[in-house]
């Protein structure tokens, strides 16, 4: 005995969103599909040639930590004490000091980067390391000391270029660790890049509270970058300040990779500063000059960093500058502003 026929459902089974393009492609002659693919590729290529950039001008020079002592990057890790492996000194300046920042601006820097740490008494000290043993004659974490205690330390104590046989800056760094307020007062109209050396949200909130007292014109010349949490906390309170963190930059660039071939810049990129390692920049639509121009139109400042960008490598020698493309007008990260600026007629 035959089974009764089941009633058919009035609802159609859901189909993939790609079903109709695939069916269309299968129905078209192969030649048409190939022509369309080639046409699209040609458009993407011609629309993203760096030569299409119309902007002119000089690159922006960013002096990392002011004018500082340099060191080799071979074998370096996050645990390396860089003060113990400096090159033989060619100038008298120590990183993150007022004197090093003045020297950097005098040498031709357009912008100076410096590092900040929060102290036990909720002040903001200008210092790179989270601990004191590498560079100073102090011990322990920066955040376990008051600003007054930190100011009594010798921040040049640990520097050596010969494995500890000599210490050329020992005794010359006492009282030279500045507070954030001192830097802002010393350079009231200069472009400054503030690096929050933690991933603690409260540190970003504290910094935002200090900067919130400044007039809009001054805030426009400041940029803050660092850990995802403190930068997000600061951006929530001070949306007018240009910022950068790894999370924000990756979100911007992932979206740009998807749509940048059309010439569009995603909203996620607006108001950021982008630190682009030269090793990876070539994968970005329009790199370098057209990319810089597109981003500038939406607000982001583009800074190119040497190598892979892992350990603040910079364009520090004549050979490094030869890798910059002709007509480049973005930012250049350097650890030797005194060497690089004269080569660019600054």
């Amino acid at each position: 005995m035959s089974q009764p026929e089941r009633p058919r459902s009035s609802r159609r089974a859901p189909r993939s969103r790609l079903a109709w393009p695939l069916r269309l492609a299968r129905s078209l002659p192969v030649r048409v599909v190939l022509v369309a693919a080639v046409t699209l590729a040609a458009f993407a290529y011609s629309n993203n040639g760096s030569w299409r950039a119309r902007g002119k001008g000089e690159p922006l020079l960013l002096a990392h930590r002011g004018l500082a002592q340099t060191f080799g990057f071979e074998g370096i890790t996050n645990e390396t004490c860089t003060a113990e492996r400096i090159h033989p000194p060619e100038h008298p300046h120590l990183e993150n000091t007022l004197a090093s920042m003045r020297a950097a601006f005098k040498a031709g820097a357009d912008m100076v980067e410096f590092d900040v740490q929060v102290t036990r008494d909720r002040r903001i000290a200008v210092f790179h390391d989270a601990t004191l043993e590498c560079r100073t004659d102090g011990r322990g974490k920066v955040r376990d000391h008051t600003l007054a205690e930190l100011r009594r330390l010798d921040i040049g104590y640990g520097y050596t270029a010969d494995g500890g046989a000599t210490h050329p800056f020992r005794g010359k760094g006492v009282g030279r660790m500045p507070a954030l307020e001192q830097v802002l007062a010393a350079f009231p109209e200069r472009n400054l890049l503030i690096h929050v050396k933690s991933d603690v949200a409260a540190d970003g909130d504290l910094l935002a509270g200090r900067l919130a007292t400044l007039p809009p014109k001054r805030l426009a010349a400041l940029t803050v970058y660092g850990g995802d949490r403190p930068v997000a906390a600061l951006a929530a309170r001070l949306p007018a300040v240009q910022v950068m963190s790894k999370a924000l930059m990756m979100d911007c660039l992932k979206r740009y990779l998807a749509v940048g071939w059309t010439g569009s810049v995603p909203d996620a990129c607006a108001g950021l500063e982008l630190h682009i390692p030269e090793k990876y920049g070539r994968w970005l639509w329009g790199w370098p000059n057209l990319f810089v121009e597109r981003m500038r139109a939406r607000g982001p400042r583009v800074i190119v960093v040497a190598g892979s960008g892992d350990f603040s490598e910079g364009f520090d020698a004549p050979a490094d500058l030869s890798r910059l493309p002709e007509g480049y007008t973005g930012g250049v990260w350097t650890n030797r502003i005194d060497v690089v600026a004269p080569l660019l007629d600054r």
Side-chain angles (χ1 to χ4, degrees):
M1 182 175 180
S2 61
Q3 297 295 324
E5 184 177 351
R6 294 182 179 179
R8 296 181 180 179
S9 172
S10 60
R11 298 180 60 186
R12 294 184 178 180
R15 295 179 177 177
S16 168
R17 293 181 179 178
L18 295 178
W20 72 266
L22 291 175
R23 290 200 309 275
L24 177 63
R26 283 195 294 265
S27 68
L28 293 174
V30 174
R31 181 179 297 178
V32 173
V33 175
L34 289 176
V35 169
V38 170
T39 301
L40 185 61
F43 169 78
Y45 175 80
S46 63
N47 194 48
N48 290 281
S50 185
W51 53 268
R52 295 186 67 244
R54 297 184 297 272
K56 295 182 179 180
E58 298 294 327
L60 177 145
L61 296 182
L62 189 155
H64 180 223
R65 304 184 200 173
L67 181 55
Q69 300 301 315
T70 58
F71 47 84
F73 291 96
E74 302 79 11
I76 194 173
T77 71
N78 288 327
E79 306 304 319
T80 301
C81 174
T82 56
E84 295 177 348
R85 56 183 295 170
I86 61 170
H87 297 133
E90 297 180 19
H91 60 76
H93 300 292
L94 294 172
E95 64 179 53
N96 286 313
T97 61
L98 294 177
S100 75
M101 297 178 203
R102 289 192 185 97
F105 281 125
K106 184 177 180 180
D110 299 297
M111 189 176 199
V112 162
E113 186 263 9
F114 63 92
D115 308 299
V116 295
Q117 300 276 358
V118 174
T119 68
R120 191 180 75 198
D121 52 346
R122 305 297 290 166
R123 299 289 300 279
I124 300 177
V126 179
F127 191 68
H128 177 272
D129 301 349
T131 56
L132 298 167
E133 284 82 356
C134 172
R135 302 179 196 282
T136 81
D137 52 348
R139 295 291 182 271
K141 298 179 180 179
V142 172
R143 64 173 60 245
D144 290 338
H145 294 74
T146 66
L147 181 63
E149 291 169 344
L150 295 170
R151 295 272 297 164
R152 291 194 288 268
L153 298 177
D154 179 4
I155 63 172
Y157 187 86
Y159 286 81
T160 180
D162 50 19
T166 62
H167 293 84
F169 298 103
R170 188 165 287 184
K172 300 178 180 180
V174 179
R176 297 184 65 189
M177 185 189 301
L180 171 68
E181 292 83 0
Q182 290 177 281
V183 176
L184 296 176
F187 308 103
E189 298 180 353
R190 292 289 195 170
N191 289 314
L192 299 172
L193 174 59
I194 304 171
H195 189 183
V196 183
K197 298 294 293 185
S198 81
D199 198 23
V200 179
D203 291 355
D205 196 59
L206 178 67
L207 177 59
R210 299 290 189 272
L211 300 183
T213 62
L214 302 175
K217 183 178 179 180
R218 184 69 188 102
L219 287 178
L222 301 179
T223 303
V224 177
Y225 81 116
D228 295 336
R229 293 182 180 89
V231 169
L234 181 137
R237 289 190 59 181
L238 294 176
V241 173
Q242 196 167 43
V243 296
M244 196 281 281
S245 70
K246 183 177 181 180
L248 292 172
M249 187 169 74
M250 292 304 294
D251 184 42
C252 159
L253 295 181
K254 285 179 181 178
R255 294 172 186 270
Y256 181 75
L257 285 172
V259 303
W261 64 277
T262 68
S264 298
V265 176
D267 291 341
C269 298
L272 300 185
E273 174 164 294
L274 302 176
H275 296 173
I276 308 295
E278 61 172 329
K279 179 179 179 180
Y280 304 114
R282 57 183 176 153
W283 300 107
L284 299 171
W285 299 109
W287 180 262
N289 295 342
L290 186 58
F291 176 81
V292 169
E293 191 170 280
R294 285 173 177 170
M295 289 296 165
R296 185 178 290 140
R298 293 299 306 276
R301 179 189 295 117
V302 176
I303 307 291
V304 63
V305 182
S308 62
D310 291 333
F311 292 102
S312 301
E313 296 177 65
F315 291 79
D316 303 333
D320 298 331
L321 289 181
S322 67
R323 301 198 304 272
L324 290 177
E326 184 178 355
Y328 179 72
T329 61
V332 178
W333 184 285
T334 182
N335 299 297
R336 287 301 303 266
I337 187 66
D338 58 325
V339 172
V340 169
L343 296 174
L344 295 174
D345 298 324
R346 297 295 179 91

